[in-house]
Amino acid sequence: MKKYEWRKQDKDLYLPKSKPSIIKVESMKYLTLVGAGNPNCEPFKTAVEALYSLSYAIKMIHKKGNPPEGYFDYVVFPLEGVWDLDEEGRKLNYLEKDHLVYKLMIRQPDFLTEALFLSIVDDVKKKKPNPMHNKIKFEEIEEGLCLQMLHIGSYDEEERSFTQMAKYCEENGFTRVDKRHREIYISDLRKTDPAKLKTVLRIQVKTDE
């Protein structure tokens, strides 16, 4: 079977245009990890490493023989994060990154089950210990009706894209469900010029009654 590549098969989810558009996002499986604080600090890096170590272990499970039912080869999905502010951060009229709260996640293939997830966690803990492994959960998440666009540039410049998204909502009869937003990191921050970073920005919306 041909390898499943999200850049090709799921362009609507991961490679939208650089202008706002509406999409309905169905239920999908994820590894998730909740955290708080500045994403430039060590705990965030440790959390990302924990998610990727498990994600790659799941991808390579067939190497041990007797692959799980429904297994197929695929490219590991990109890192995502749902971002918000704590109560103190919401009181400020500027962004203070120390007050950020987040839910990091990496989408998983349909063949992953809770039992398989738990067995892989135990195995990875022994081979690649990480204090964040115990915080990772296996979830199914349905975002539903969303507005999204591809932001090209630094993370610190995302406000210009959110301004476009807010204008689209106002002109087309949509309202944000809440203040959270999702970021999907298409580019590798370590290898990409900040001006060329590609990030999907997505918010949940509802139609105005």
Side-chain angles (χ1 to χ4, degrees), residues 76-93:
V76 171
F77 290 90
L79 179 71
E80 307 184 29
V82 175
W83 295 88
D84 201 350
L85 289 165
D86 62 22
E87 290 187 17
E88 289 300 314
R90 287 178 180 239
K91 295 176 184 178
L92 304 174
N93 58 7

Side-chain angles (χ1 to χ4, degrees), residues 29-31 111-121 136-140:
K29 297 180 178 182
Y30 294 88
L31 299 185
F111 66 76
L112 185 64
T113 63
E114 179 74 18
L116 180 58
F117 161 69
L118 292 174
S119 68
I120 291 175
V121 170
I136 294 177
K137 294 182 179 181
F138 175 50
E139 300 184 62
E140 289 197 33

Side-chain angles (χ1 to χ4, degrees), residues 16-141:
K17 295 181 179 180
S18 298
K19 60 181 181 180
S21 62
I22 293 292
I23 185 173
K24 187 174 182 180
V25 185
E26 305 294 342
S27 178
M28 291 179 281
K29 297 180 178 182
Y30 294 88
L31 299 185
T32 68
L33 197 160
V34 173
N38 193 319
N40 296 310
C41 294
E42 195 63 28
F44 184 86
K45 179 183 177 183
T46 304
V48 172
E49 290 173 347
L51 282 171
Y52 270 114
S53 65
L54 284 181
S55 295
Y56 276 100
I58 292 165
K59 170 183 166 59
M60 303 304 292
I61 190 68
H62 68 291
K63 295 287 188 180
K64 296 185 176 182
N66 192 28
E69 182 178 353
Y71 180 86
F72 58 90
D73 194 13
Y74 63 98
V75 176
V76 171
F77 290 90
L79 179 71
E80 307 184 29
V82 175
W83 295 88
D84 201 350
L85 289 165
D86 62 22
E87 290 187 17
E88 289 300 314
R90 287 178 180 239
K91 295 176 184 178
L92 304 174
N93 58 7
Y94 60 92
L95 175 61
E96 174 51 69
K97 293 183 178 180
D98 289 340
H99 290 293
L100 286 168
V101 292
Y102 51 81
K103 186 173 187 175
L104 298 177
M105 61 190 77
I106 297 178
R107 182 182 165 188
Q108 300 301 312
D110 290 339
F111 66 76
L112 185 64
T113 63
E114 179 74 18
L116 180 58
F117 161 69
L118 292 174
S119 68
I120 291 175
V121 170
D122 286 340
D123 190 44
V124 173
K125 280 181 182 178
K126 298 172 185 175
K127 294 179 178 179
K128 297 181 179 180
N130 184 310
M132 295 291 187
H133 282 149
N134 289 326
K135 297 180 64 176
I136 294 177
K137 294 182 179 181
F138 175 50
E139 300 184 62
E140 289 197 33
I141 299 172

Side-chain angles (χ1 to χ4, degrees), residues 134-153:
N134 289 326
K135 297 180 64 176
I136 294 177
K137 294 182 179 181
F138 175 50
E139 300 184 62
E140 289 197 33
I141 299 172
E142 181 178 353
E143 293 179 76
L145 191 66
C146 295
L147 177 67
Q148 67 178 14
M149 69 176 288
L150 185 66
H151 171 79
I152 300 177

